Amino acid sequence: MVAANPVDRLLVHGREVVVSESLDKHTSVATLIGDYHELMTVFGGPAPRRERLVELFATLEITDQVRGMVVRPRRETLLGTMSEHIALFAEGLGSLSIPGPAHAASLQPRHQGARTMFGEVWRSPLPGVTSATQLTDYTYTLGFPSAMAEVVFADADDTVSDADKLAWLEQINISWTVG
């Protein structure tokens, strides 16, 4: 995370987009605020002009529901998705890194993982950790029938117990669909 300040707010298809720039102006983020989720895009350098941001978000069909957000190019744009990679951050819990289907297979270990409610999980010490003793010392690779993900738990956060973090991990369910 980088310290940033909001620099603009605009509406696209009736949804608010908040634009923030890092204090050093090396990074900017445009975040579309949904009813349940947020869609962020990160730029190197200052944020693009307002017109460019409107054009960018206007090319997307976004469906935001309690169970998840679906984002795809609008049919009339004739755009396709070349490469997908989604990063999600759950406050107090951790982060999920979800590669697109074409890259997911490279994450799957060769041995069987422990069962979860929707797939399997593998645990590996984070790079540089020589004596792993807590949840935050590991990366957790999750495997599902049509997707893979990596989870890293948030550093010591006394407001969320280890049991709650593991319960969250157990309930994660990711799938990719074509269409």
Side-chain angles (χ1 to χ4, degrees), residues 84-86 97-107 147-150 176:
E84 309 89 359
H85 191 104
I86 298 171
S97 176
I98 307 165
H103 303 289
S106 65
L107 286 180
M148 297 290 296
E150 289 183 317
W176 288 98

Side-chain angles (χ1 to χ4, degrees), residues 91-94 126 133-138 152-162 165:
E91 189 172 346
L93 294 169
L126 286 168
T133 60
Q134 53 193 9
L135 292 179
T136 56
D137 291 336
Y138 297 95
V152 176
F153 288 116
D155 285 331
D157 181 346
D158 297 335
T159 62
V160 180
S161 70
D162 283 356
K165 288 179 182 178

Side-chain angles (χ1 to χ4, degrees), residues 96 104 107-124 139-151 166 168-174:
L96 285 94
L107 286 180
Q108 186 167 353
R110 297 184 196 275
H111 61 282
Q112 186 173 353
R115 297 292 308 152
T116 67
M117 191 179 304
F118 300 102
E120 355 180 18
V121 62
W122 297 265
R123 180 179 79 174
S124 305
T139 183
Y140 299 82
T141 302
L142 295 168
F144 307 97
S146 71
M148 297 290 296
E150 289 183 317
V151 173
L166 290 172
W168 171 65
L169 182 83
E170 172 72 20
Q171 295 175 28
I172 294 172
N173 185 12
I174 300 167

Side-chain angles (χ1 to χ4, degrees), residues 16-152:
E16 182 179 24
V17 174
V18 178
V19 182
S20 300
E21 286 186 353
S22 63
L23 300 180
D24 63 7
K25 304 283 191 213
H26 289 130
T27 307
S28 56
V29 177
T31 306
L32 182 133
I33 311 297
D35 293 331
Y36 304 100
H37 303 87
E38 296 176 354
L39 174 62
M40 297 174 63
T41 186
V42 180
F43 303 95
R49 292 184 335 268
R50 178 180 265 227
E51 299 79 27
R52 299 289 295 158
L53 292 171
V54 170
E55 289 172 10
L56 169 68
F57 285 108
T59 64
L60 302 174
E61 177 183 310
I62 301 166
T63 306
D64 189 22
Q65 301 171 340
V66 170
R67 64 176 197 221
M69 180 180 272
V70 176
V71 180
R72 61 174 56 107
R74 290 185 177 277
R75 292 187 195 279
E76 61 271 16
T77 65
L78 301 178
L79 295 174
T81 306
M82 291 184 57
S83 176
E84 309 89 359
H85 191 104
I86 298 171
L88 303 170
F89 302 92
E91 189 172 346
L93 294 169
S95 63
L96 285 94
S97 176
I98 307 165
H103 303 289
S106 65
L107 286 180
Q108 186 167 353
R110 297 184 196 275
H111 61 282
Q112 186 173 353
R115 297 292 308 152
T116 67
M117 191 179 304
F118 300 102
E120 355 180 18
V121 62
W122 297 265
R123 180 179 79 174
S124 305
L126 286 168
V129 174
T130 56
S131 179
T133 60
Q134 53 193 9
L135 292 179
T136 56
D137 291 336
Y138 297 95
T139 183
Y140 299 82
T141 302
L142 295 168
F144 307 97
S146 71
M148 297 290 296
E150 289 183 317
V151 173
V152 176

